[in-house]
Amino acid sequence: MAIKKRIYICCGTGIATSTVIARKLNEVLKQYKITADVSQCKLTEVVSRVRAVKPDLVISATQIPGGIGDVPVLLGRAFLTGVNKQQLIADVVAILEK
């Protein structure tokens, strides 16, 4: 049985943009048969959430100030714009299939 991955998606409010990114990400996860717990949060909450429960990946709508240690972070803008979307998908899959 595959190990369930943990992914945090963050944006300014933790609502609108992260919801769009989460929807697109869930399509990718389904396509590649990757089991994951995807949760959304505000950009201001992501550092404390990572400290509390370390995820396998963080996808952010914008740069995360200060950094979050050794957790991989990808910018999710490609899920919004479509520009470089295939590269983002490849990066997500490569990180989660480790």
Side-chain angles (χ1 to χ4, degrees), residues 1 4 9-10 12 16 18 20 22 30 32 35 39 42 55 57 68 70-72 80 84 88 96 98:
M1 182 172 185
K4 187 179 240 185
I9 300 175
C10 59
S18 61
V20 174
K30 184 176 179 180
Y32 286 88
T35 305
S39 58
K42 295 178 186 176
L57 173 63
I68 53 174
D70 63 347
V71 175
L80 303 170
N84 296 320
L88 177 57
L96 296 178
K98 284 184 183 175

Side-chain angles (χ1 to χ4, degrees), residues 14-34:
I15 301 170
T17 305
S18 61
T19 299
V20 174
I21 293 172
R23 190 172 63 239
K24 303 279 186 172
L25 176 64
N26 281 317
E27 292 171 7
V28 170
L29 297 174
K30 184 176 179 180
Q31 178 183 352
Y32 286 88
K33 296 177 176 51
I34 297 171

Side-chain angles (χ1 to χ4, degrees), residues 27-91:
E27 292 171 7
V28 170
L29 297 174
K30 184 176 179 180
Q31 178 183 352
Y32 286 88
K33 296 177 176 51
I34 297 171
T35 305
D37 176 23
V38 178
S39 58
Q40 296 166 228
C41 64
K42 295 178 186 176
L43 187 63
T44 56
E45 300 169 338
V46 73
V47 172
S48 61
R49 288 190 67 176
V50 167
R51 282 190 201 126
V53 180
K54 185 177 175 183
D56 297 284
L57 173 63
V58 171
I59 298 178
S60 180
T62 187
Q63 290 292 127
I64 298 173
I68 53 174
D70 63 347
V71 175
V73 177
L74 297 174
L75 288 177
R77 284 189 217 121
F79 283 139
L80 303 170
T81 66
V83 177
N84 296 320
K85 183 178 172 185
Q86 288 309 120
Q87 183 60 55
L88 177 57
I89 290 170
D91 292 344

